Amino acid sequence: MMRIAIIGTGNVAWQFANAFREKHNVEFIYGRNAKKAEQLAQSVEAAFSTSFNQIPRDLDLYLIAISDDQIESVAGQIPEVSGIVAHTSGSVDLTVIPHEKSGVFYPLQTLSKEKVVDWKKVPLCVESQHAESLKALTELGSDLSKNVQQIDSQQRRAIHLAAVFACNFSNHMMANAQELLRESELDFSILKPLIEETVEKALEVGPDNAQTGPAIRGDEKTLEKHQNLLENHARLLEIYNLVSQSIQDTRHE
Amino acid sequence: MMRIAIIGTGNVAWQFANAFREKHNVEFIYGRNAKKAEQLAQSVEAAFSTSFNQIPRDLDLYLIAISDDQIESVAGQIPEVSGIVAHTSGSVDLTVIPHEKSGVFYPLQTLSKEKVVDWKKVPLCVESQHAESLKALTELGSDLSKNVQQIDSQQRRAIHLAAVFACNFSNHMMANAQELLRESELDFSILKPLIEETVEKALEVGPDNAQTGPAIRGDEKTLEKHQNLLENHARLLEIYNLVSQSIQDTRHE
């Protein structure tokens, strides 16, 4: 059982604070905003404060779950403590935490306060230069998830960037489709079965093996038809041409 | 019960021929390749031929399930018949079929011979200028699917183009992610839960409402970090910049 402080009161802080409770003691919440800190503290029956000085020094883990660009400054204000000081970010280096037992505990999932998380499936990426801390973070991760991986800062950066392509950019491609359908007074839902099948296949055989469509087939006639349809959509035409070219460039020979 | 001829022996021909059998009579298969035509004909207990002259004239439906750029030429060679002549393409106009009872019967799904199709969920887009034929195609569609929609050629073009964005381009974004992960010796499967959640959310609330990531947040620091990581990946950097810009351009004000 670990004694834990959560630094932060956002979505990730809420989700972790509640998830840890099952097997561990969440004893303290730090937050800039007193009201938010109190709310989270009440929900997990912990103490709280808006002052770094009030943070108890003898806990096992201080988990910094705040926005990426605040982590370095906040970590610098956490006093010397006996336990591990770890952040939860995908894009911030381990080295921004000045404490000896520094670590990372990064959940590779999009989290909101409202939606219940199936922690079993969430990849938890842990990192520490301190062997004992790495072991402790790995065990803590295993209490939540079946998928705990030791990932260094360089790999974590790659994962974060890859997630932008695979998720943020995919979503934007769906938004572009929605825009095109709207203009023809069609509902986006007509694409639902095709999207589901596409993603299922990509996850099953790998997206490199699952590519279909006119670009990979080299179907110039259809590409030209589509370009004509997008004549008055400069933004979409530019994306269409660049992504089609990229698909053709990466085609298996 | 309709008496049906299938023109073609590819994936779509196989899937439809077998799906129709439950409630209708597939009586004839036309194919350029005798062996393939014979195989499909045997599987559904129909006659077959490689000659357009052998096509029986008195059936109810002649379904042209062949590659897009062959449809016009093949339709021109089908003799005068009593029934409907319809193609199954998403991108070809109704007007390329010279027969009076011309139609379209377009399954909005990716089909292969091997994988069993859950027809109930597949949107079937039907079109005809001939009222009686439109009714017959709609009824035939309803025998397979709960989602039959009357879609004109202009709308069908929009759907086909939208599907390229939503599916082919999304898949390529996942392939790009896979490429980035491989360089850091990571497996694509680590993104699986995040991709599933992303798509689930996009289908639930709409991709326009589901957009997340540094571009929509206007998080310039992270965008810059990612651009630096892609310094030596000209192709991926170009996509990163264009898609990030496009996300920012379409952001809700």
Side-chain angles (χ1 to χ4, degrees):
Chain A
M1 193 210 67
M2 288 180 98
R3 299 172 62 210
I4 299 174
I6 305 279
I7 315 297
T9 58
N11 296 335
V12 178
W14 271 81
Q15 288 287 355
F16 272 137
N18 281 283
F20 290 147
R21 286 187 77 194
E22 204 177 308
K23 298 203 172 179
H24 303 277
N25 266 8
V26 177
E27 299 195 2
F28 192 83
I29 306 293
Y30 165 86
R32 267 188 310 193
N33 179 309
K35 187 155 183 189
K36 288 186 182 172
E38 187 178 3
Q39 282 174 343
L40 176 50
Q42 281 182 346
S43 107
V44 296
E45 299 171 77
F48 75 95
S49 176
T50 59
S51 158
F52 289 108
N53 291 327
Q54 300 294 315
I55 298 177
R57 311 288 176 99
D58 63 336
L59 303 183
D60 301 309
L61 173 65
Y62 301 79
L63 194 69
I64 307 174
I66 60 179
S67 66
D68 289 3
D69 43 1
Q70 301 293 322
I71 293 173
E72 186 160 10
S73 137
V74 164
Q77 294 174 74
I78 295 176
E80 268 196 47
V81 291
S82 59
I84 305 162
V85 180
H87 75 67
T88 59
S89 162
S91 67
V92 174
D93 256 44
L94 173 65
T95 52
V96 307
I97 297 174
H99 301 72
E100 192 201 339
K101 297 184 185 172
S102 62
V104 178
F105 194 78
Y106 168 50
L108 181 50
Q109 185 52 284
T110 170
L111 303 174
S112 52
K113 261 177 219 162
E114 299 73 25
K115 195 164 176 186
V116 178
V117 184
D118 182 2
W119 281 107
K120 289 265 170 302
K121 289 187 195 165
V122 176
L124 287 172
C125 305
V126 299
E127 178 179 10
S128 180
Q129 297 293 329
H130 184 260
E132 202 186 300
S133 301
L134 183 62
K135 185 161 171 278
L137 291 172
T138 304
E139 284 174 5
L140 179 68
S142 304
D143 288 336
L144 301 182
S145 168
K146 289 182 181 171
N147 187 358
V148 182
Q149 303 198 29
Q150 293 179 11
I151 298 286
D152 65 32
S153 288
Q154 181 274 326
Q155 287 180 313
R156 194 154 32 80
R157 275 194 297 270
I159 291 172
H160 191 253
L161 177 58
V164 166
F165 275 92
C167 299
N168 299 158
F169 288 4
S170 286
N171 183 80
H172 185 58
M173 295 302 141
M174 291 189 265
N176 290 330
Q178 184 180 35
E179 187 182 334
L180 289 164
L181 291 173
R182 264 192 196 136
E183 286 175 15
S184 295
E185 293 173 12
L186 289 159
D187 195 89
F188 178 65
S189 65
I190 197 169
L191 289 179
K192 190 176 171 179
L194 183 56
I195 290 171
E196 286 173 337
E197 178 79 11
T198 300
V199 172
E200 201 178 290
K201 201 172 158 200
L203 295 178
E204 205 178 298
V205 302
D208 49 352
N209 297 314
Q211 189 66 56
T212 60
I216 195 86
R217 284 197 306 272
D219 180 350
E220 298 293 339
K221 271 192 194 171
T222 302
L223 289 167
E224 206 177 302
K225 269 191 200 174
H226 285 167
Q227 284 157 344
N228 292 337
L229 279 173
L230 291 172
E231 228 170 27
N232 300 315
H233 295 73
R235 192 177 58 77
L236 294 178
L237 180 58
E238 205 178 343
I239 293 175
Y240 187 89
N241 287 336
L242 182 62
V243 178
S244 293
Q245 186 59 54
S246 179
I247 291 172
Q248 292 182 315
D249 288 350
T250 52
R251 171 159 68 172
H252 296 296
E253 298 302 320
Chain B
M1 193 210 68
M2 290 181 95
R3 299 173 61 213
I4 299 173
I6 305 280
I7 317 297
T9 58
N11 295 337
V12 178
W14 271 82
Q15 288 288 355
F16 272 136
N18 282 284
F20 290 147
R21 287 186 76 195
E22 202 177 307
K23 298 202 171 179
H24 304 275
N25 266 7
V26 177
E27 300 195 0
F28 192 83
I29 306 293
Y30 165 87
R32 269 188 308 192
N33 178 311
K35 186 153 184 192
K36 287 186 181 174
E38 186 178 6
Q39 282 174 341
L40 176 51
Q42 281 182 347
S43 108
V44 298
E45 299 171 80
F48 76 96
S49 176
T50 59
S51 159
F52 289 106
N53 291 327
Q54 300 294 315
I55 297 176
R57 311 287 175 102
D58 63 337
L59 304 183
D60 301 308
L61 173 65
Y62 301 78
L63 195 69
I64 307 173
I66 60 178
S67 65
D68 288 3
D69 44 0
Q70 302 291 321
I71 293 174
E72 185 160 10
S73 137
V74 163
Q77 294 175 75
I78 295 176
E80 266 196 45
V81 291
S82 58
I84 305 163
V85 180
H87 74 67
T88 60
S89 162
S91 67
V92 174
D93 256 43
L94 173 66
T95 52
V96 307
I97 297 174
H99 301 72
E100 192 201 339
K101 297 183 186 173
S102 62
V104 178
F105 194 78
Y106 166 51
L108 180 50
Q109 185 52 286
T110 170
L111 303 174
S112 52
K113 260 178 219 162
E114 299 74 25
K115 193 163 179 186
V116 178
V117 184
D118 182 1
W119 281 108
K120 289 266 168 300
K121 289 186 193 166
V122 176
L124 287 172
C125 305
V126 298
E127 178 179 8
S128 180
Q129 297 294 328
H130 185 261
E132 203 185 300
S133 301
L134 183 62
K135 186 163 171 276
L137 291 172
T138 304
E139 285 173 5
L140 179 68
S142 304
D143 288 337
L144 301 182
S145 168
K146 289 182 181 173
N147 188 357
V148 183
Q149 303 196 31
Q150 293 179 13
I151 298 286
D152 64 31
S153 288
Q154 180 273 326
Q155 287 180 313
R156 194 153 34 79
R157 276 194 297 270
I159 291 170
H160 191 254
L161 177 58
V164 167
F165 276 92
C167 299
N168 299 158
F169 287 3
S170 286
N171 184 81
H172 184 57
M173 296 301 141
M174 291 189 266
N176 290 330
Q178 184 180 34
E179 188 182 333
L180 288 165
L181 291 174
R182 263 191 197 136
E183 287 177 12
S184 295
E185 293 175 11
L186 289 160
D187 195 88
F188 178 65
S189 65
I190 197 170
L191 289 179
K192 189 176 172 181
L194 183 56
I195 290 171
E196 286 173 337
E197 178 79 11
T198 300
V199 172
E200 202 178 288
K201 202 173 158 198
L203 294 177
E204 204 179 297
V205 302
D208 48 352
N209 297 315
Q211 189 67 55
T212 60
I216 194 86
R217 284 197 306 273
D219 180 350
E220 297 294 338
K221 271 192 194 171
T222 303
L223 290 167
E224 207 177 300
K225 270 191 202 173
H226 286 166
Q227 284 157 344
N228 292 337
L229 279 173
L230 292 171
E231 229 169 27
N232 300 316
H233 295 72
R235 191 177 59 76
L236 294 178
L237 180 59
E238 205 178 345
I239 293 176
Y240 187 88
N241 287 335
L242 182 63
V243 178
S244 292
Q245 186 58 54
S246 179
I247 290 173
Q248 292 182 316
D249 289 349
T250 52
R251 168 159 69 169
H252 296 295
E253 298 302 322

